[in-house]
Structure formats: C-alpha cells, structure tokens
Amino acid sequence: MFSRMRGRRVNATSIVAVIALVLAMTGGAYAAGKYVITSTRQIKPSVLAQLKGKPGPAGVKGANGALGVAGAQGAVGGQGPAGPGGPQGPAGPAGPAGKNGENGKNGTTGFTKTLPKGATEKGSWTAQLDEGVKGGVALASVSFVIPLEGSLDHEHVFFVKPEEASTTQCPGSVEAPEAAAGDLCVYAGFMPGLLPDENGVIHNPGLEQGKAFSETGAGESGAFLLFQPEGAEGGFAYGTWAVTAP
C-alpha cells in the first residue's frame, strides 16, 4: 500500500482519508466519541486553505428588474418677497458733442393775393412842402405791399401825433408801429411847419377825384396823407405805419 502512495502526490484530502482509515482500524467507536469533527474550527487554518476550492467563474448577468413606481412630487416653494431697490448709481460722463447737420435747402418765397387774417404789415412815410409855396399841400403815400381784402372806413384809420400816447387801436410807437386787427395806424415822428389837413389827414386814394379831399379812410392798396403848411416857410414830416388785416 505504501508503495502505491509513493508515486502519488500527498495533499490534505489524502491526509484526512488516512486519518479516517486509522481510526476505523484502531477502534471506531472510541475514536468517534473522542475525535468527531463537527466544525471547520477544529481543522488547522492552513489545512482549510488547502481544502478550500477555487472560486468558480462568474455567472451570466441576470435581466434588469422592473422599474419601481415613481415617488410623489414634492411641494413647490412659494415666491419670496421682492428685495429692496438698490441705490441709484452715479451719473455717467457726458457724451461727445454730435456733428453739425447739413444746411437745408433754401425754400421758395410764398405768394399771397391779400394780407392773411390777423397778419400785420408795416412801412414808413415822408412829406415835404417847399418854402414859399402858397396854397399848397404836402402829400405822403402809405402803400400796402400786400393789399387788404377790402377798404377801411375813417373809424378804423388813426393818425398818432408825436406827443400822443398809444391807444388800444394803436398800441405801438413810431419806433415800433403796431395796429389792432382791422385798423390802420399812422405814427408821426417829426412834422415841423406842417399841420394835418383840416378835412382829415388820412384819405382813401380810391375815391373819385372830386371827393378825394373830403373822404377819409384807407383803400385796399393803401392811403395818402395830406398836410397844410403852418406858415410860409414850408415844412417837413416823417413817420411809420402799421395795418392789420381784420
């Protein structure tokens, strides 16, 4: 028996088998009562390490389990209060000056047949009477550049002497002539040696020749002024005028 064992390799399994055989041959009942192995703790750890088999290969991966039920959605938090506004920042630096725009084209002069309602036009006048002229009169013209729509009667024409103050109808002066709507105001700045005509200084040039010196007022295109000499020395007068369309 021993000759057969020489050729084999002795391992832990063989040792355990030999021990079991010896016990059986030398009194199995006694040995079983004293040396029964009931736990791996009775075997030397180094022997157990030799008796433990090598781990087998990994098994095939199993299928994935079923998807679990989704949990309930959590409560949504409320919106918090708005925070206080921040302080105003400092003013930024001034930007660079822009470029000058191009000059526009010159417009054309408009044309109107009559003076528009409420519009005012102005001018100047002079009158002169030479010395030694007897029975003569000094004549000055007031010509409207833009004609009126109609004539003005004597109640709407006014002659303002140098010493007279302005009125509601004639609120201006010889330096700055003005007239109320529908009125003609003639301002005298200087008139030595001349007096206003006894029939009225302002006359309508549109009247018939026989009535020219007796009818006062202004026509659509203007009026004329009549002065009488104060003496034989002659005289001179000048001033301004303003008319406002009714």
Side-chain angles (χ1 to χ4, degrees):
M1 180 177 71
F2 290 104
S3 60
R4 292 179 179 178
M5 294 177 59
R6 290 177 181 177
R8 298 180 180 179
R9 184 176 178 180
V10 180
N11 51 31
T13 304
S14 301
I15 294 173
V16 173
V18 172
I19 292 173
L21 179 60
V22 172
L23 289 176
M25 293 174 64
T26 58
Y30 178 80
K34 297 294 185 177
Y35 298 99
V36 175
I37 298 174
T38 60
S39 173
T40 57
R41 294 180 180 180
Q42 295 176 259
I43 302 174
K44 191 175 180 179
S46 58
V47 176
L48 285 177
Q50 296 180 14
L51 295 176
K52 182 182 285 188
K54 295 182 180 180
V60 180
K61 182 178 179 181
N64 293 334
L67 183 65
V69 180
Q73 183 177 0
V76 179
Q79 183 176 1
Q88 183 176 359
K99 297 181 179 180
N100 293 331
E102 298 180 357
N103 294 330
K105 297 181 179 180
N106 294 330
T108 57
T109 303
F111 176 78
T112 177
K113 293 183 178 180
T114 58
L115 188 64
K117 180 180 179 180
T120 302
E121 59 179 319
K122 306 175 183 181
S124 60
W125 59 269
T126 59
Q128 182 175 354
L129 183 63
D130 294 335
E131 182 179 356
V133 177
K134 296 181 180 181
V137 293
L139 180 66
S141 64
V142 173
S143 179
F144 302 153
V145 177
I146 303 175
L148 303 177
E149 289 186 359
S151 299
L152 302 177
D153 58 29
H154 68 280
E155 294 181 354
H156 292 279
V157 293
F158 303 92
F159 183 80
V160 183
K161 297 179 181 180
E163 67 275 8
E164 291 179 345
S166 61
T167 62
T168 303
Q169 293 81 9
C170 300
S173 63
V174 67
E175 293 83 8
E178 296 291 343
D183 294 332
L184 167 64
C185 296
V186 179
Y187 297 88
F190 184 73
M191 46 186 298
L194 295 181
L195 297 174
D197 182 70
E198 60 183 6
N199 294 321
V201 66
I202 304 176
H203 295 264
N204 187 343
L207 297 176
E208 297 179 5
Q209 185 176 1
K211 299 180 180 180
F213 293 96
S214 61
E215 297 292 335
T216 59
E220 296 176 0
S221 58
F224 59 84
L225 311 179
L226 289 178
F227 298 91
Q228 295 178 345
E230 187 176 7
E233 296 82 7
F236 176 79
Y238 69 87
T240 59
W241 59 268
V243 63
T244 302

